[in-house]
Amino acid sequence: MITAIYNYLVADVTLMNLLTGGLYLADQVQSISRQHTPAAYDANQEILPCGLLKEETITPWGPHPDGARRYVTVWLYQRYGYVATKAARQRIYVLLHRQRLALDGFWQIDHATDLPNLDAPGMDAALEMSRYVVHEERA
């Protein structure tokens, strides 16, 4: 499921033009760093606008015996300011909120919350985060 959302997001040319450092799946790279995601940095080793898609938690939910809510977060980074991260966050909202991707056992994605205008600890970078809830069937 997380891979399907990732593939859906990276297929969007508008989003990827905003995230010039790329979008990464936490299952594959764990975190944004010069070691794990070198393409997220420019020739001067400064972070480019980039994102990290991460699963957060899964909880039982709803009237269906196998219904669940899976929370997914998108962490957005850039060196200074929030122009690229805000634009990327808004684009991701358009792409994901109230969407139903063609997956088995998957009902709908809804926007849950945003954390704008943060600083990334230990990275000397600006940070924003968006959380989405995926309503799904766990069989």
Side-chain angles (χ1 to χ4, degrees), residues 61-138:
W61 184 255
H64 306 288
D66 294 325
R69 293 188 302 188
R70 180 184 308 254
Y71 289 88
V72 174
T73 55
V74 184
W75 298 86
L76 301 165
Y77 303 86
Q78 72 178 71
R79 171 66 185 97
Y80 181 79
Y82 302 96
V83 173
T85 56
K86 283 191 186 311
R89 188 166 46 86
Q90 290 168 352
R91 181 64 184 163
I92 292 166
Y93 179 88
V94 168
L95 293 169
L96 292 184
H97 183 57
R98 295 185 181 159
Q99 294 302 311
R100 295 176 186 219
L101 301 180
L103 301 172
D104 290 334
F106 184 92
W107 296 330
Q108 183 170 306
I109 300 173
D110 290 311
H111 178 259
T113 188
D114 285 329
L115 293 175
N117 304 329
L118 302 172
D119 293 318
M123 290 181 70
D124 196 25
L127 168 67
E128 299 201 65
M129 187 275 292
S130 284
R131 178 179 289 121
Y132 290 84
V133 59
V134 180
H135 304 277
E136 64 182 47
E137 179 181 13
R138 295 176 70 189

Side-chain angles (χ1 to χ4, degrees), residues 16-66:
M16 297 317 296
N17 284 336
L18 294 168
L19 298 177
T20 56
L23 178 65
Y24 301 90
L25 191 53
D27 288 356
Q28 297 172 357
V29 301
Q30 188 173 349
S31 64
I32 301 293
S33 70
R34 288 176 181 86
Q35 295 77 25
H36 296 125
T37 58
Y41 293 83
D42 67 14
N44 296 320
Q45 296 300 302
E46 299 287 346
I47 195 164
L48 296 166
C50 62
L52 182 68
L53 182 64
K54 196 175 206 176
E55 284 184 286
E56 197 174 67
T57 186
I58 305 167
T59 61
W61 184 255
H64 306 288
D66 294 325

